[in-house]
């Protein structure tokens, strides 16, 4: 027995019935009122009479439905013991439903608003903000008024081509493949959820990501680290000592508070991050960790406590006690110091990469290093950093070379 139901998200009615054992749900734009329910119940009665008679034509009733092709040239099977006849169906009335009964789904704008609201309690604030930037800047201008089931794969590919071309961004700057993939990932997530709820094929299902260039890390050598710390502004020596020898992320360093510094156990408790959006939970659960203080880090934090321990809850702060701005540090301290020392210009984040390569070079266990870095496994460690280990430890294949010479070449020259 079919039913007329109401979609909770939109308040619109939809048909819920079965054809040849398959459950079918077809949306409408009719609001849930008594009059509209009566109207749809009459149509549902006709549908069920034709299903019983074996004369039901899905495409006639729902011409815009993706289900129409599924039942094309497959008339509904008559119920057992029922013989189709003119008397069992109102053959005088042509089975043409009202126009409003054609497939109806929310517009992309309407559904995206629902989708964002549902994820608001799940996502981190930064994730929500960055998602809204892409939604408002790229997706809504392109798809806002289009019903979500009407967005085709060709539309998605054309959209990707437009934003990936030169000057295709909001500010007429060319977007990187990484950013294009981020935008397309959001589009895919919205359409996948819509396809699941409203039962239409997901147009993004087989759309592949753009290939991105591998980002090569460029850590400092130990000599460069020593030289940098010796010549950087005195008030930033503790800051860069902590960055170079703990591998903390930028947000983790800037969000570090004195209550998370355990001098007795010589541990830094990574619990929060800080950005221009404010204080927040770490990147993920795996980033919640305890980082061991080496002696230089311990001494640097002791010195920093003398400077700011009573001024602010934040370890590294401004003269008024607020967290320091990473963009300001990058522009006024990091880059000028590199330039002053004649070192290669590098991204600020290389301090984290430097810590990882120095730990590996010293022979620390990869599992321990991964925990210090906030990685859940050693996979990232070996994938990103292992190529730097041979140059730092001299474990570069020379041991195997000596073995071959001894066994096959008569000794080492």
């Amino acid at each position: 027995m079919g039913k007329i139901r109401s979609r909770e998200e939109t308040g619109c009615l939809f048909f819920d019935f079965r054809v040849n054992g398959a459950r079918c749900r077809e949306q409408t734009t009719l609001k849930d009122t008594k009059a509209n329910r009566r109207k749809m119940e009459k149509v549902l009665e006709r549908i069920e009479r034709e299903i019983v008679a074996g004369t039901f034509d899905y495409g006639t009733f729902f011409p815009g439905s993706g289900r129409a092709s599924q039942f094309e040239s497959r008339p509904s099977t008559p119920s057992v013991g029922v013989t189709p006849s003119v008397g069992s169906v109102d053959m005088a009335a042509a089975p043409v439903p009202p126009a409003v009964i054609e497939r109806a789904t929310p517009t992309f704008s309407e559904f995206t608003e629902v989708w964002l609201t549902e994820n608001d309690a799940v996502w981190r604030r930064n994730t929500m903000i960055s998602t809204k930037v892409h939604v408002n800047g790229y997706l809504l201008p392109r798809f806002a008024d289009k019903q979500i089931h009407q967005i085709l794969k060709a539309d998605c590919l054309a959209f990707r081509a437009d934003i990936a071309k030169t000057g295709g961004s909001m500010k007429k700057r060319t977007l990187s493949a990484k950013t294009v993939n981020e935008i397309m990932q959001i589009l895919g997530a919205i359409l996948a959820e819509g396809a699941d709820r409203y039962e239409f094929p997901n147009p993004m299902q087989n759309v592949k990501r753009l290939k991105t260039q591998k980002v090569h890390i460029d850590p400092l050598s130990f000599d460069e680290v020593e030289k940098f710390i010796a010549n950087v502004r005195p008030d930033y020596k503790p800051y860069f000592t902590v960055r170079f020898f703990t591998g903390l992320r930028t947000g983790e360093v800037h969000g570090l508070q004195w209550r998370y510094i355990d001098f007795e156990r010589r541990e830094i408790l990574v619990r929060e991050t800080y950005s221009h959006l404010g204080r927040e939970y770490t990147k993920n659960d795996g980033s919640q960790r305890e980082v061991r203080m080496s002696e230089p880090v311990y001494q640097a934090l002791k010195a920093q406590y003398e400077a700011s321990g009573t001024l602010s809850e934040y370890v590294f702060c401004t003269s008024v006690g607020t967290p320091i701005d990473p963009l300001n540090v990058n522009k006024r301290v990091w880059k000028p110091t590199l330039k002053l020392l004649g070192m290669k210009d590098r991204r600020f984040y290389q301090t984290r990469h430097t810590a990882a390569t120095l730990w590996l070079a010293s022979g620390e266990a990869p599992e321990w290093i991964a925990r210090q870095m906030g990685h859940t496994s050693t996979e990232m460690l070996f994938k990103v950093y292992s190529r730097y280990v041979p140059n730092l430890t001299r474990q570069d294949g020379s041991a195997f070379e000596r073995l071959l010479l001894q066994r096959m070449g008569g000794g080492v020259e």
Side-chain angles (χ1 to χ4, degrees):
M1 181 77 181
K3 293 184 179 296
I4 304 300
R5 303 184 187 277
S6 176
R7 177 66 64 182
E8 187 175 322
E9 298 90 338
T10 63
C12 293
L13 297 171
F14 67 94
F15 293 97
D16 188 350
F17 60 100
R18 290 185 178 274
V19 180
N20 296 342
R23 186 180 183 185
C24 303
R25 282 171 287 190
E26 294 294 339
Q27 314 299 318
T28 78
T29 56
L30 295 175
K31 293 299 182 181
D32 188 2
T33 66
K34 289 184 179 180
N36 287 337
R37 278 185 175 269
R38 284 196 298 270
K39 183 188 300 183
M40 289 180 60
E41 283 167 357
K42 290 181 180 179
V43 176
L44 182 59
E45 288 175 6
R46 289 173 54 193
I47 290 173
E48 292 187 325
R49 287 202 306 269
E50 295 197 13
I51 291 174
V52 170
T55 59
F56 175 64
D57 184 348
Y58 207 106
T60 300
F61 278 87
F62 306 105
S65 172
R67 285 277 198 174
S69 59
Q70 179 182 344
F71 295 103
E72 189 176 4
S73 302
R74 287 175 52 193
S76 55
T77 305
S79 299
V80 177
V82 178
T83 302
S85 66
V86 174
S88 63
V89 184
D90 184 6
M91 298 298 288
V96 180
V100 292
I101 301 177
E102 294 183 6
R103 169 173 287 273
T105 56
T107 64
F108 183 85
S109 177
E110 293 169 340
F111 185 73
T112 298
E113 184 177 355
V114 171
W115 180 75
L116 289 171
T117 301
E118 292 172 345
N119 284 293
D120 189 40
V122 181
W123 291 350
R124 297 168 69 245
R125 184 173 61 229
N126 286 0
T127 302
M128 177 60 72
I129 291 174
S130 62
T131 299
K132 285 184 176 180
V133 167
H134 289 327
V135 166
N136 295 328
Y138 296 98
L139 298 179
L140 290 182
R142 185 63 167 254
F143 301 110
D145 297 327
K146 204 164 189 175
Q147 287 181 280
I148 55 174
H149 80 278
Q150 294 177 338
I151 300 175
L152 307 178
K153 182 177 181 179
D155 299 321
C156 298
L157 293 175
F159 169 70
R160 186 180 68 182
D162 286 344
I163 63 173
K165 69 184 180 182
T166 303
S169 71
M170 290 184 291
K171 298 181 180 180
K172 303 304 178 184
R173 290 198 299 260
T174 303
L175 297 179
S176 66
K178 179 177 180 292
T179 302
V180 172
N181 286 339
E182 289 174 356
I183 297 171
M184 295 302 292
Q185 183 177 4
I186 296 170
L187 176 62
I190 295 171
L191 293 178
E193 184 63 28
D196 181 61
R197 295 191 189 189
Y198 297 100
E199 297 182 318
F200 61 85
N202 180 7
M204 282 286 291
Q205 188 169 4
N206 295 314
V207 175
K208 297 181 179 179
R209 296 170 62 87
L210 296 181
K211 290 185 178 180
T212 58
Q213 291 185 347
K214 183 177 180 180
V215 177
H216 296 286
I217 65 172
D218 191 14
L220 281 70
S221 68
F222 189 77
D223 289 340
E224 288 178 317
V225 171
E226 285 188 308
K227 190 176 180 181
F228 187 98
I229 292 176
N231 290 276
V232 75
R233 279 172 43 178
D235 53 332
Y236 274 91
K237 288 184 187 294
Y239 172 84
F240 280 102
T241 299
V242 171
R243 290 204 65 147
F244 278 126
F245 297 137
T246 64
L248 294 182
R249 299 177 176 92
T250 300
E252 294 169 347
V253 176
H254 289 243
L256 190 59
Q257 300 164 52
W258 287 116
R259 60 180 172 146
Y260 297 136
I261 302 297
D262 189 338
F263 284 113
E264 184 176 347
R265 295 177 61 88
R266 293 199 174 207
E267 288 183 338
I268 297 173
L269 313 181
V270 181
R271 298 293 183 265
E272 298 180 31
T273 66
Y274 187 88
S275 70
H276 66 285
L277 299 173
R279 187 188 298 177
E280 195 168 42
Y281 188 74
T282 53
K283 182 179 180 181
N284 48 49
D285 290 341
S287 296
Q288 298 272 308
R289 64 195 187 278
E290 292 75 44
V291 177
R292 180 172 175 76
M293 296 182 201
S294 61
E295 184 62 24
V297 171
Y298 177 80
Q299 295 300 333
L301 288 173
K302 280 288 190 180
Q304 184 64 27
Y305 187 77
E306 293 296 322
S308 66
T310 59
L311 176 63
S312 172
E313 62 180 323
Y314 290 98
V315 175
F316 302 107
C317 61
T318 65
S319 58
V320 294
T322 57
I324 56 177
D325 178 14
L327 295 178
N328 192 41
V329 177
N330 180 55
K331 180 180 179 181
R332 298 194 177 189
V333 184
W334 170 252
K335 288 186 177 295
T337 305
L338 289 176
K339 185 175 181 180
L340 174 68
L341 298 174
M343 295 182 187
K344 185 194 303 183
D345 187 31
R346 294 172 168 92
R347 292 175 58 230
F348 207 6
Y349 204 73
Q350 297 301 332
T351 56
R352 176 170 164 83
H353 298 319
T354 298
T357 54
L358 293 180
W359 277 328
L360 284 167
S362 68
E364 293 288 0
E367 292 79 7
W368 180 85
I369 299 174
R371 289 196 300 271
Q372 297 297 289
M373 298 288 289
H375 296 159
T376 55
S377 72
T378 59
E379 179 182 359
M380 177 67 73
L381 197 68
F382 288 117
K383 182 179 179 181
V384 177
Y385 302 113
S386 62
R387 65 183 291 263
Y388 289 89
V389 177
N391 292 332
L392 295 171
T393 66
R394 305 311 305 161
Q395 296 173 4
D396 52 7
S398 57
F400 184 59
E401 184 74 16
R402 286 194 297 271
L403 175 63
L404 291 177
L405 287 173
Q406 289 172 352
R407 300 298 295 269
M408 301 176 65
V412 180
E413 295 182 1

